[in-house]
């Protein structure tokens, strides 16, 4: 754990305060399964790992608790929250509602040439991940792709909501690597979205984005069976059927 946390800490060098930087590092560690569901977290150990005082670690735990990623149990400790199937599907529902509206706006109103160039550049960078089979890099580029779409139509607040809810979704995506939807299929869907925007075809943009964001529905039940220790014990077998309707 220490080596990976240290690497993530080094990646985030920049102008952010120690508190914000530490929060982001721990959040990414949880999303990327460096800190796994159910794992106990030591305030002292984390502080020593990244050479900070315990106060910003304590504050990060509070923020992560508010985000639903850790649970602070009085007199017992702090733990990474196990994945809730219901939370994943609710997050997917919210994300679909927002991002479908975004691509419809992009297709109806158009986007700038700079935004289109950036989207095409991202597609090329994503395609290079196929040869190297680099799922981790692809998922980072995937986030940039969706952010570019939202910001390209000036929907900054919408993107902030997506960022907050996608944490639960992204934990499932990282858990499923490399046995997830093939990267090539996801990139083809991205390309179809860009093409629909260029053609000003809102119906196709809507259809492809919905298909794209529902890929997780196929993998979730299998992941629950394969990694039961990562998920909350309550079973919600009907949720995937409800969400896919």
């Amino acid at each position: 754990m220490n080596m990976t946390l240290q690497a993530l800490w080094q990646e985030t060098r920049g102008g952010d305060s120690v508190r914000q930087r530490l929060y982001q590092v721990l959040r990414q560690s949880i999303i990327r399964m460096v800190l796994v569901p159910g794992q106990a977290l030591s305030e002292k150990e984390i502080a020593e790992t990244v050479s900070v005082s315990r106060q910003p670690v304590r504050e990060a735990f509070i923020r992560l608790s508010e985000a639903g990623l850790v649970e602070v149990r009085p007199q017992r400790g702090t733990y990474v929250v196990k994945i809730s199937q219901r939370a994943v599907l609710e997050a997917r529902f919210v994300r679909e509602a927002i991002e479908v509206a975004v691509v419809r706006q992009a297709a109806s109103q158009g986007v700038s040439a700079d935004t289109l160039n950036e989207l095409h550049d991202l597609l090329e960078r994503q395609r290079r991940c196929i040869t190297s089979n680099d799922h981790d890099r692809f998922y980072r580029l995937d986030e940039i792709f969706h952010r570019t779409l939202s910001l390209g139509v000036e929907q900054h607040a919408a993107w902030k909501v997506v960022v907050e809810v996608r944490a639960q979704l992204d934990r499932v995506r990282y858990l499923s690597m490399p046995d997830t939807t093939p990267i090539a299929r996801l990139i083809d869907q991205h390309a179809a979205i860009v093409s629909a925007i260029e053609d000003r075809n809102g119906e196709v943009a809507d259809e492809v984005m919905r298909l794209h964001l529902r890929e997780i529905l196929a993998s979730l039940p299998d992941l629950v069976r394969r990694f039961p220790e990562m998920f909350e014990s309550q079973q919600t077998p009907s949720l995937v059927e409800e969400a896919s309707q």
Side-chain angles (χ1 to χ4, degrees):
M1 181 183 74
N2 291 358
M3 288 295 292
T4 308
L5 276 180
Q6 286 174 343
L8 288 173
W9 181 252
Q10 293 301 319
E11 285 181 6
T12 62
R13 286 181 174 176
D16 288 338
S17 67
V18 170
R19 287 175 173 81
Q20 179 62 19
R21 185 180 169 195
L22 183 59
Y23 168 72
Q24 291 296 339
V25 166
L26 291 177
R27 185 176 184 275
Q28 284 300 309
S29 295
I30 292 171
I31 289 173
R32 294 163 67 174
M33 292 292 166
V34 174
L35 302 174
V36 298
Q39 181 175 340
L41 302 178
S42 166
E43 185 180 293
K44 179 176 182 292
E45 182 181 353
I46 291 174
E48 291 177 349
T49 297
V50 297
S51 300
V52 300
S53 69
R54 295 175 67 167
Q55 182 60 30
V57 179
R58 191 174 301 120
E59 293 175 2
F61 282 176
I62 293 172
R63 290 183 64 186
L64 291 166
S65 175
E66 293 170 348
L69 293 175
V70 306
E71 179 182 7
V72 180
R73 304 175 189 172
Q75 311 303 318
R76 296 179 62 189
T78 300
Y79 298 82
V80 178
V81 171
K82 291 192 174 185
I83 301 170
S84 162
Q85 296 177 68
R86 181 174 294 277
V88 169
L89 293 172
E90 288 179 352
R92 191 214 61 81
F93 179 88
V94 172
R95 185 180 178 193
E96 180 179 304
I98 291 173
E99 296 213 47
V100 165
V102 164
V103 294
R104 274 197 167 272
Q105 181 177 339
S108 63
Q109 297 181 5
V111 296
S112 69
D114 285 345
T115 297
L116 282 175
N117 288 337
E118 185 174 356
L119 290 171
H120 281 290
D121 178 67
L122 285 166
L123 288 174
E124 288 303 313
R125 293 164 64 189
Q126 289 172 11
R127 290 187 180 103
R128 290 197 288 271
C129 295
I130 298 174
T131 303
S132 60
N133 202 31
D134 192 340
H135 289 79
D136 189 75
R137 178 169 173 75
F138 169 75
Y139 283 135
R140 296 189 200 184
L141 292 170
D142 174 75
E143 180 173 1
I144 298 171
F145 178 87
H146 287 272
R147 182 184 68 199
T148 301
L149 284 173
S150 291
L151 302 191
V153 291
E154 301 295 328
Q155 293 297 343
H156 298 263
W159 178 247
K160 287 182 180 179
V161 174
V162 170
V163 169
E164 289 303 313
V165 302
R166 67 177 288 162
Q168 299 296 344
L169 293 167
D170 286 345
R171 286 212 289 172
V172 172
R173 294 174 71 183
Y174 273 94
L175 180 61
S176 67
M177 292 193 307
D179 304 319
T180 185
T181 304
I183 292 176
R185 184 193 303 172
L186 298 175
I187 296 171
D188 286 344
Q189 291 168 357
H190 283 172
I193 290 169
V194 174
S195 179
I197 291 171
E198 290 178 315
D199 293 341
R200 298 294 188 92
N201 193 325
E203 290 187 6
V204 172
D206 179 316
E207 180 183 350
V208 180
M209 181 62 82
R210 289 184 192 277
L211 176 66
H212 182 61
L213 296 178
R214 292 182 181 188
E215 290 286 352
I216 194 173
L217 298 177
S219 60
L220 183 58
D222 181 58
L223 291 172
V224 174
R225 287 191 293 270
R226 290 168 54 199
F227 305 103
E229 72 282 1
M230 300 285 191
F231 291 84
E232 289 184 354
S233 58
Q234 66 181 68
Q235 297 299 311
T236 53
S238 64
L239 285 178
V240 171
E241 294 179 5
E242 293 173 5
S244 62
Q245 292 175 355

